[in-house]
Amino acid sequence: MKSAIQTVTLTMVQSITDAMRIMLKEHEEVIVLGEDVAVNGGVFRATEGLFEEFGDKRIFDTPLSEAGFVGTAIGMAVNGYRPIIEIQFLGFIYPAYEQIMTHATRLRSRTMGYYNVPIVIRAPYGAGVKAPEIHSDSIEAIFTHMPGIKVVCPSNPYDAKGLLIASIEDPDPVLFLEPMRNYRSFRQEIPEEKYIVEIGKANILQDGEDVSIIVWGAMVPIALEVADKLKEENNILCEVVDLRTLYPLDQHVISASVQKTGRAIIIHEGHETGGVGSDIIALINDTSFLYLKAPIERITGFDTPVPFFSFEDEYLPSASRIINAVEKVINY
């Protein structure tokens, strides 16, 4: 008789730690490096306890040089290791851009498949936590324009664990975005054992017939809140699509949802110009244009740096902006 699956109730940051612990136990070539990830357990304590369990040969602190330790990890990856890199905040990744763009994403192509670069770059991102300048950037679109790297962004503990395990096992580079607002905002019951959530597969969190809300990361809880409110107060049935992976996009789920509802709203906190939302609009136009009953709406951050914390809430997509967009496409 098959035994029941053991479960544990964790926050997102705890599920991320759990995924790394499982993979460190299973694969000797998995290592963790970054600023303060060892003794201190990382700025958000995502690596807490790993140094004590696995030692300083596999969990180690680096100098304050993103270009230096990302470049080092690339070299380790092509020599058989599977590095997990922690960037303290996504806005700190800029010095490492050249290493990622010029080397990590191109080595497989450059060597005609002889070398691959199995690194995972973990990076907390996003506004809404009242952090200082550069600490709240949502610049995922920069990396979705880089062929050769996958961009993953879970919104909940279950997906975070399964997607991180899949990312560590992936033979190519993965940027693993962790929405800070969701780190400890809620708990979820998830399997205690190893499991995988497939990269490149979106998830329909709520079925609906009237409008598709396409969203990811920290914006998912607010989208679900709005969907519940609209259903209860206006009998509008929103289909909430959590992309989970931003590159490659799940063309099948996106197009199937829009073809069913005939209306689409895209929510992201990154800047509007050049944002991932633009690529989603292009995908919808390519696959589902004749199904649309209204123009596609976007609710995004503005084309400015993320403002200081006293104005942060004005920058972020809000429930009222989303509701206005839904009403606009419904009444078009």
Side-chain angles (χ1 to χ4, degrees):
M1 184 175 179
K2 190 174 181 179
S3 59
I5 295 175
Q6 298 296 313
T7 62
V8 61
T9 302
L10 299 177
T11 62
M12 176 183 278
V13 73
Q14 289 171 332
S15 73
I16 289 167
T17 309
D18 194 36
M20 287 189 283
R21 180 177 289 109
I22 287 171
M23 297 305 287
L24 283 159
K25 287 180 178 178
E26 185 173 308
H27 300 283
E28 289 187 358
E29 63 270 24
V30 173
I31 58 173
V32 178
L33 66 152
E35 298 163 4
D36 297 324
V37 299
V39 177
N40 288 339
V43 66
F44 290 102
R45 303 299 181 260
T47 56
E48 193 167 43
L50 300 182
F51 176 76
E52 291 77 10
E53 186 171 354
F54 297 99
D56 61 2
K57 301 297 184 190
R58 301 185 66 195
I59 317 294
F60 51 90
D61 293 328
T62 65
L64 302 181
S65 172
E66 286 76 15
F69 64 74
V70 170
T72 298
I74 293 168
M76 297 179 79
V78 299
N79 283 281
Y81 289 93
R82 288 185 175 269
I84 305 169
I85 305 162
E86 178 175 296
I87 304 290
Q88 285 192 337
F89 296 87
L90 182 59
F92 294 179
I93 205 169
Y94 301 119
Y97 180 88
E98 190 274 335
Q99 289 291 337
I100 299 168
M101 179 62 177
T102 305
H103 301 297
T105 63
R106 294 173 181 261
L107 267 172
R108 179 187 282 276
S109 174
R110 183 182 298 152
T111 63
M112 294 182 288
Y114 189 81
Y115 287 112
N116 59 305
V117 186
I119 62 172
V120 176
I121 304 172
R122 294 182 38 250
Y125 87 98
V129 296
K130 311 303 182 188
E133 184 186 9
I134 315 260
H135 293 64
S136 301
D137 290 10
S138 184
I139 52 165
E140 57 269 32
I142 291 176
F143 298 92
T144 63
H145 299 161
M146 286 186 183
I149 188 169
K150 299 177 178 72
V151 181
V152 173
C153 186
S155 67
N156 59 73
Y158 180 89
D159 287 348
K161 179 176 176 178
L163 283 167
L164 183 52
I165 290 172
S167 298
I168 296 167
E169 292 191 335
D170 197 282
D172 294 308
V174 178
L175 176 63
F176 192 86
L177 299 174
E178 301 169 5
M180 290 185 284
R181 290 177 68 180
N182 295 12
Y183 261 158
R184 293 178 172 87
S185 59
F186 63 97
R187 294 177 177 269
Q188 189 176 27
E189 189 174 7
I190 66 175
E192 192 172 31
E193 63 188 21
K194 176 183 177 181
Y195 65 90
I196 287 174
V197 173
E198 185 178 353
I199 295 173
K201 298 295 182 183
N203 187 28
I204 296 177
L205 297 178
Q206 183 166 306
D207 289 323
E209 299 176 355
D210 297 320
V211 59
S212 300
I213 298 180
I214 301 166
V215 65
W216 58 89
M219 297 293 100
V220 169
I222 192 170
L224 289 170
E225 173 191 325
V226 166
D228 289 341
K229 181 180 177 67
L230 288 169
K231 180 179 180 181
E232 181 179 344
E233 297 182 3
N234 304 89
N235 198 32
I236 297 172
L237 303 179
C238 300
E239 180 148 292
V240 180
V241 181
D242 182 355
L243 289 184
R244 301 197 292 196
T245 301
L246 304 181
Y247 189 81
L249 290 169
D250 190 337
Q251 176 176 314
H252 173 73
V253 168
I254 294 170
S255 58
S257 178
V258 174
Q259 288 172 21
K260 179 173 72 169
T261 66
R263 304 176 180 91
I265 289 174
I266 302 161
I267 308 169
H268 63 76
E269 65 175 282
H271 309 308
E272 180 180 60
T273 300
V276 177
S278 299
D279 293 325
I280 298 169
I281 290 173
L283 188 157
I284 292 170
N285 283 337
D286 287 345
T287 64
S288 313
F289 180 77
L290 295 179
Y291 293 84
L292 290 174
K293 301 173 184 176
I296 302 164
E297 287 289 316
R298 278 181 295 172
I299 304 93
T300 72
F302 298 102
D303 289 343
T304 69
V306 178
F308 295 116
F309 61 84
S310 58
F311 296 101
E312 203 172 48
D313 290 341
E314 303 302 319
Y315 172 87
L316 289 167
S318 64
S320 62
R321 288 173 64 194
I322 299 168
I323 290 171
N324 288 340
V326 172
E327 291 175 345
K328 184 176 179 180
V329 298
I330 290 291
N331 297 319
Y332 180 78

